[in-house]
Amino acid sequence: MKKVILSIDTGIDDAMALAYVLGSKELDLIGIVGTYGNVYTKQGVKNDLALLEMLGRKDIPVYLGNEHAIDKDDFEVSEVSADIHGQNGIGEVEVPAATRQVETGDGVDFIIDSVKKYGKDLTVIATGPMTDLARTLKKYPAFKDEVGQVVIMGGALACTGNVTPYAEANIHQDPLAAKILFESGTPVIMVGLDVTMRTPISLEDTQKWRDTKTVAGEKYADIVDYYIHIYDKYSPYLHGGSLHDPSATCAAVHPEWFTMLPLHMTVETEGETAGRTIGVMEKLREPNPNVKVCINIEAEKVRQDICNTIHGLFTK
Ligand code: RIB
Ligand code: CA
């Protein structure tokens, strides 16, 4: 089993990524580092603790990550994020508050201690801004050589962004952090909009979770239904909510369902194109690119695997 740390801004699709990792037989979640993005860091961590407790996993530690981009002093949740994920990040659904507290240490130190302990057995999956990964690399540069794999949900290579024509949301929050990650040499799988927009989830899928008649199955169905309805408002042509973050967790288990293009990647950090994830032209002839960019996906296999793995968690 791969040891996994989730760096998440929980968020509805982050909540699905969390459930997927817990439901997967191949992944062993050793901790969560909460970050900002869909919600404020403290709200995201509150969601993580509550969801873990509802899912019977009070044993998994949750740490606070950064509260804003690496080169900024503050952060505000955007109106669109609050609309897509709800003010509380989980579709205004009430999940009983956790009975335990967040850990006291910094999430970055947890990532560093974990890579020292598990080395190549460690996979870090980031489904929020890359700020804490950039902080990790600044504090412990050997992370890039020691970690087994980093998988990110973020970016767009061959399609437009979802915040600006150039930028996807997680990269847009902190382009500099993503640039630091890409250019560090860390082995990264980039699961961006090129593939995550191709995997929809529908009300029929969530009904199967509700039909388990478990508290967690019903709550998760309510949370994700909120997301599906909002997608109908913003992007009715998609016919379902995009499985962004759980597609990244799926790629950690089933990379064979994704077509990946190895590239030396960078991120534009200035002006109109800030947040654009793009290959470095000067390095096209250089061997061994550290980033594998997902450019195609066996969408139906991924969709089914995500829905079934989460369903399995409710019937365990
Ligand atoms: O662009 C999609 C990403 O932005 C997802 O991680 C979603 O949760 C939001 O953070
Ligand atoms: Ca997210």
Side-chain angles (χ1 to χ4, degrees):
M1 269 179 128
K2 288 179 187 166
K3 303 289 179 193
V4 169
I5 294 174
L6 278 174
S7 167
I8 51 182
D9 58 329
T10 316
I12 295 178
D13 57 331
D14 302 82
M16 283 191 271
L18 169 58
Y20 180 92
V21 173
L22 293 178
S24 165
K25 293 183 179 66
E26 282 88 359
L27 305 177
D28 176 16
L29 184 62
I30 61 165
I32 291 177
V33 178
T35 187
Y36 66 94
N38 295 321
V39 287
Y40 295 101
T41 301
K42 290 195 173 78
Q43 179 65 42
V45 158
K46 193 176 161 197
N47 294 343
D48 298 330
L49 289 164
L51 292 170
L52 283 170
E53 196 152 326
M54 180 176 74
L55 295 165
R57 296 302 306 268
K58 277 170 76 176
D59 55 307
I60 294 169
V62 178
Y63 293 86
L64 284 166
N66 235 38
E67 303 199 47
H68 51 75
I70 209 157
D71 58 350
K72 293 201 176 118
D73 299 328
D74 55 13
F75 160 75
E76 283 225 12
V77 174
S78 74
E79 265 180 43
V80 175
S81 293
D83 210 16
I84 290 179
H85 298 273
Q87 297 286 343
N88 70 350
I90 48 174
E92 314 302 0
V93 174
E94 285 203 23
V95 174
T99 56
R100 67 178 171 135
Q101 301 294 315
V102 65
E103 306 295 314
T104 49
D106 183 346
V108 162
D109 292 327
F110 173 68
I111 296 174
I112 293 170
D113 290 346
S114 301
V115 80
K116 286 180 182 169
K117 188 168 173 189
Y118 296 113
K120 296 285 174 205
D121 291 335
L122 180 69
T123 297
V124 180
I125 305 175
T127 65
M130 310 303 140
T131 314
D132 289 319
L133 282 168
R135 288 175 63 226
T136 298
L137 284 159
K138 280 192 176 266
K139 192 163 181 183
Y140 187 64
F143 174 82
K144 74 177 175 65
D145 301 313
E146 295 178 6
V147 72
Q149 187 69 60
V150 169
V151 184
I152 66 162
M153 189 285 131
L157 188 72
C159 66
T160 51
N162 57 0
V163 177
T164 75
Y166 299 98
E168 178 280 330
N170 289 337
I171 307 290
H172 183 259
Q173 294 287 8
D174 194 344
L176 178 59
K179 179 181 167 78
I180 291 169
L181 173 66
F182 283 165
E183 294 184 358
S184 67
T186 305
V188 175
I189 294 176
M190 176 180 132
V191 183
L193 299 177
D194 308 283
V195 292
T196 65
M197 292 299 287
R198 299 184 196 203
T199 49
I201 186 164
S202 69
L203 296 175
E204 288 78 52
D205 297 315
T206 55
Q207 186 58 41
K208 291 182 188 151
W209 302 346
R210 190 175 282 110
D211 288 344
T212 62
K213 299 203 183 318
T214 60
V215 172
E218 288 174 0
K219 290 284 184 195
Y220 257 85
D222 291 347
I223 291 168
V224 177
D225 282 0
Y226 175 97
Y227 185 74
I228 293 166
H229 289 308
I230 284 288
Y231 259 79
D232 279 346
K233 177 177 140 189
Y234 280 102
S235 319
Y237 54 90
L238 287 175
H239 306 294
S242 286
L243 288 165
H244 298 296
D245 295 346
S247 294
T249 52
C250 179
V253 180
H254 291 291
E256 72 278 8
W257 292 343
F258 296 76
T259 307
M260 300 186 195
L261 176 66
L263 264 183
H264 293 284
M265 291 287 289
T266 189
V267 181
E268 294 178 9
T269 56
E270 302 290 336
E272 192 194 350
T273 60
R276 181 185 185 203
T277 49
I278 191 74
V280 181
M281 211 244 268
E282 293 79 2
K283 291 192 176 175
L284 283 176
R285 293 185 195 174
E286 284 188 15
N288 307 321
N290 63 305
V291 184
K292 291 182 186 151
V293 182
C294 293
I295 51 171
N296 208 349
I297 185 171
E298 295 200 44
E300 186 50 23
K301 278 188 189 165
V302 171
R303 192 192 66 77
Q304 278 189 23
D305 179 58
I306 291 168
C307 293
N308 292 341
T309 303
I310 295 175
H311 183 271
L313 184 64
F314 305 138
T315 51
K316 248 182 194 172

Short mmCIF file of all heavy atoms in Angstrom, two decimals, residues 8-11 13-14 38 85 127-128 153 170 245, ligand 2:
data_model
loop_
_atom_site.label_atom_id
_atom_site.label_comp_id
_atom_site.label_asym_id
_atom_site.label_seq_id
_atom_site.Cartn_x
_atom_site.Cartn_y
_atom_site.Cartn_z
N ILE A 8 -5.24 19.38 0.91
CA ILE A 8 -6.56 19.67 0.33
C ILE A 8 -7.20 20.94 0.89
O ILE A 8 -6.93 21.35 2.02
CB ILE A 8 -7.55 18.48 0.53
CG1 ILE A 8 -7.62 18.00 1.98
CG2 ILE A 8 -7.18 17.34 -0.36
CD1 ILE A 8 -8.56 16.80 2.17
N ASP A 9 -8.10 21.51 0.06
CA ASP A 9 -8.84 22.73 0.45
C ASP A 9 -10.34 22.36 0.45
O ASP A 9 -11.09 22.75 -0.41
CB ASP A 9 -8.57 23.89 -0.52
CG ASP A 9 -8.92 23.59 -1.97
OD1 ASP A 9 -8.81 22.42 -2.38
OD2 ASP A 9 -9.33 24.51 -2.70
N THR A 10 -10.74 21.61 1.41
CA THR A 10 -12.03 20.88 1.38
C THR A 10 -13.26 21.76 1.48
O THR A 10 -13.67 22.19 2.52
CB THR A 10 -12.02 19.84 2.55
OG1 THR A 10 -10.76 19.21 2.55
CG2 THR A 10 -13.13 18.83 2.40
N GLY A 11 -13.94 21.95 0.44
CA GLY A 11 -14.32 21.69 -0.91
C GLY A 11 -14.97 20.31 -1.17
O GLY A 11 -14.62 19.30 -0.61
N ASP A 13 -15.33 18.49 -4.11
CA ASP A 13 -14.59 17.43 -4.82
C ASP A 13 -13.39 16.97 -4.01
O ASP A 13 -12.96 15.82 -4.10
CB ASP A 13 -14.22 17.82 -6.26
CG ASP A 13 -13.42 19.09 -6.37
OD1 ASP A 13 -13.56 19.98 -5.51
OD2 ASP A 13 -12.63 19.21 -7.32
N ASP A 14 -12.86 17.84 -3.13
CA ASP A 14 -11.82 17.41 -2.19
C ASP A 14 -12.40 16.35 -1.23
O ASP A 14 -11.74 15.37 -0.89
CB ASP A 14 -11.31 18.59 -1.36
CG ASP A 14 -10.75 19.70 -2.22
OD1 ASP A 14 -11.55 20.51 -2.73
OD2 ASP A 14 -9.53 19.76 -2.40
N ASN A 38 -10.90 26.70 -1.84
CA ASN A 38 -12.36 26.70 -1.90
C ASN A 38 -12.94 27.36 -0.66
O ASN A 38 -14.06 27.90 -0.68
CB ASN A 38 -12.89 25.27 -1.97
CG ASN A 38 -12.48 24.57 -3.25
OD1 ASN A 38 -12.48 25.17 -4.31
ND2 ASN A 38 -12.14 23.29 -3.14
N HIS A 85 -19.07 25.46 -3.93
CA HIS A 85 -18.87 24.52 -2.82
C HIS A 85 -19.75 24.83 -1.60
O HIS A 85 -19.76 24.05 -0.64
CB HIS A 85 -17.40 24.52 -2.40
CG HIS A 85 -16.48 24.07 -3.50
ND1 HIS A 85 -16.18 22.75 -3.73
CD2 HIS A 85 -15.85 24.77 -4.46
CE1 HIS A 85 -15.37 22.65 -4.78
NE2 HIS A 85 -15.17 23.87 -5.24
N THR A 127 -4.71 18.65 -3.93
CA THR A 127 -5.92 19.02 -4.67
C THR A 127 -6.35 20.45 -4.35
O THR A 127 -7.50 20.82 -4.57
CB THR A 127 -7.07 18.03 -4.39
OG1 THR A 127 -7.42 18.14 -3.01
CG2 THR A 127 -6.69 16.60 -4.71
N GLY A 128 -5.42 21.21 -3.82
CA GLY A 128 -5.62 22.64 -3.59
C GLY A 128 -4.40 23.36 -4.15
O GLY A 128 -3.60 22.77 -4.88
N MET A 153 -3.95 17.88 -8.62
CA MET A 153 -5.06 18.32 -9.46
C MET A 153 -4.78 19.81 -9.68
O MET A 153 -4.82 20.60 -8.74
CB MET A 153 -6.42 18.16 -8.76
CG MET A 153 -7.62 18.41 -9.71
SD MET A 153 -7.87 20.13 -10.07
CE MET A 153 -8.03 20.15 -11.84
N ASN A 170 -6.58 26.00 -8.89
CA ASN A 170 -5.55 25.69 -7.90
C ASN A 170 -4.22 26.37 -8.24
O ASN A 170 -3.47 26.77 -7.35
CB ASN A 170 -5.33 24.18 -7.78
CG ASN A 170 -6.50 23.51 -7.10
OD1 ASN A 170 -7.25 24.14 -6.35
ND2 ASN A 170 -6.69 22.22 -7.37
N ASP A 245 -10.88 16.54 -8.27
CA ASP A 245 -9.93 16.05 -7.25
C ASP A 245 -9.90 14.53 -7.13
O ASP A 245 -8.80 13.94 -7.02
CB ASP A 245 -10.22 16.72 -5.90
CG ASP A 245 -9.98 18.22 -5.95
OD1 ASP A 245 -9.34 18.68 -6.92
OD2 ASP A 245 -10.41 18.94 -5.04
CA CA B 2 -9.69 21.22 -4.38
#
